[in-house]
Amino acid sequence: MMRATNPVLAGLGVAAAALAALATEPRVAVAGTATGESTYQSSCVACHGADGAGVLPGVPDLTSTDGPLALADAVLVKRIAEGFQSPGSPMAMPPRGGNPGLSDEDIKAVVRYMRQEFAIR
Ligand code: HEC
């Protein structure tokens, strides 16, 4: 695909393509086009972090064996869709991670993604 053999030129090509994509892609995921990964990266990563360990106080570690991912899919999908705050928690999770454009299918896909990606350590 990339014709340039010089890695600097190749990198510039990739950067230009990324900028072009940013200029034309819609910001909010359109139902049916998002993958679990793209949904996580757009709507969840800011609080949960790239590795799922959580980057803000009150955000649970999704990689822990007895953490939230030990719960059933239906429980997780409902809590992600409706928002969630456990008793005494310093911070609530907003419904759909704050992205009303997420469909129920997007949420199911992101749960599958988290289960694959954040292998219990
Ligand atoms: C604004 C920050 C924020 C965003 C964005 C966010 N979360 Fe959360 N999430 C939280 C917090 C805080 C909690 C813990 C709430 C509590 O226990 O009171 C949480 C809890 C969870 C839990 C555990 C629920 C449970 O039963 O304990 C899961 C799973 C989860 N989030 C998934 C997601 C997914 C998927 C997204 C993206 C669609 C997302 N979160 C976006 C802050 C966020």
Side-chain angles (χ1 to χ4, degrees):
M1 190 179 94
M2 191 66 67
R3 271 167 300 156
T5 46
N6 178 323
V8 175
L9 288 179
L12 284 174
V14 170
L19 282 176
L22 276 179
T24 54
E25 292 294 316
R27 277 298 124 79
V28 175
V30 177
T33 63
T35 62
E37 180 173 9
S38 71
T39 297
Y40 188 83
Q41 298 302 336
S42 66
S43 306
C44 320
V45 75
C47 297
H48 288 281
D51 63 358
V55 294
L56 297 172
V59 178
D61 181 359
L62 298 176
T63 68
S64 130
T65 346
D66 55 354
L69 293 190
L71 296 165
D73 277 14
V75 175
L76 294 177
V77 168
K78 185 171 190 290
R79 288 179 177 174
I80 294 165
E82 295 176 359
F84 181 64
Q85 185 164 23
S86 49
S89 162
M91 182 164 131
M93 176 162 72
R96 296 173 194 269
N99 181 354
L102 293 188
S103 68
D104 290 352
E105 285 311 310
D106 293 334
I107 294 175
K108 286 177 191 159
V110 82
V111 168
R112 282 196 296 274
Y113 170 77
M114 291 188 299
R115 290 200 190 287
Q116 282 164 20
E117 205 61 20
F118 309 140
I120 302 296
R121 292 169 206 154

